[in-house]
Amino acid sequence: ALLSGRLSVPEGKGPFPAVVLVFDDGPVTRGEEYLLEAIAGDLRTAGIVVFDFDDPGQGKSQGVFRGLDDERRLENLRAAVVFTGKNPLVKKNDIVLVGLRGGGYLAVKAAQEEPSVAGCVILGLPATLAGDDPDRDAGKKYIYACIKAAGLGQFDSAYIDTIAEAVRVQTEKVK
């Protein structure tokens, strides 16, 4: 299926580093659209190419979103990375994936598999963790789940505790 997307290019000759935005499962809310526009605008102003795409059945993309498994979503994300990397205005092997909530999980997996991806950033927690969960260790559990799902090795527990605390503090600020 043909996927639609938006490529936002900074002024100048380039080549530029690039970011591919990876959003959560399902339709993008209006708030997420505003977030997308703000992130893309700020990155473009900073001299970074930004590409984001609509999942199948969303926006102008063909296909059906319902029933997509992780492997199919990863194929779509790989296609977005390849598309972005083929642009002559993009520096070779200088693409960073930025995943929003559940999209962060896919971004981590794709970053491991794609040689042109230089890094990965996860913004926010999945909706189930961003609520009023009384479990103060929810962030740590999520980080461990991401590490395990991505097949990464062992990390020092003090490091994970530090990251989880930073995520918890930032989540509280956002709330």
Side-chain angles (χ1 to χ4, degrees):
L2 185 64
L3 299 179
S4 67
R6 289 148 297 281
L7 186 69
S8 183
V9 180
E11 292 184 25
K13 291 185 178 188
F16 305 102
V19 164
V20 174
L21 297 175
V22 187
F23 278 81
D24 210 354
D25 294 341
V28 175
T29 67
R30 188 64 190 139
E32 288 170 334
E33 284 181 35
Y34 288 134
L35 177 62
L36 167 82
E37 292 165 7
I39 290 171
D42 288 347
L43 290 172
R44 185 182 64 246
T45 300
I48 299 171
V49 171
V50 180
F51 182 67
D52 73 281
F53 62 97
D54 298 323
D55 283 319
Q58 308 300 315
K60 294 180 182 178
S61 289
Q62 296 175 349
V64 178
F65 179 79
R66 187 183 350 235
L68 281 183
D69 61 6
D70 283 354
E71 189 52 42
R72 183 66 184 133
R73 291 193 70 220
L74 278 168
E75 284 179 35
N76 294 337
L77 179 51
R78 286 185 206 111
V81 169
V82 168
F83 171 81
T84 303
K86 285 183 178 180
N87 190 305
L89 292 174
V90 173
K91 284 183 183 176
K92 185 176 172 90
N93 298 328
D94 199 4
I95 299 172
V96 172
L97 303 178
V98 176
L100 178 64
R101 294 191 307 269
Y105 161 75
L106 290 174
V108 168
K109 288 201 60 103
Q112 289 183 297
E113 299 170 4
E114 289 299 318
S116 60
V117 174
C120 179
V121 176
I122 300 173
L123 299 176
L125 295 171
T128 57
L129 295 179
D132 294 326
D133 188 341
D135 183 357
R136 289 184 52 90
D137 288 332
K140 189 178 351 181
K141 290 175 185 174
Y142 174 67
I143 292 167
Y144 276 117
C146 285
I147 290 169
K148 181 179 178 184
L152 299 176
Q154 293 294 323
F155 285 82
D156 183 302
S157 62
Y159 174 75
I160 298 297
D161 289 344
T162 301
I163 298 300
E165 180 60 15
V167 168
R168 188 194 65 72
V169 168
Q170 190 61 31
T171 302
E172 289 302 316
K173 285 181 185 178
V174 170
K175 284 182 188 179

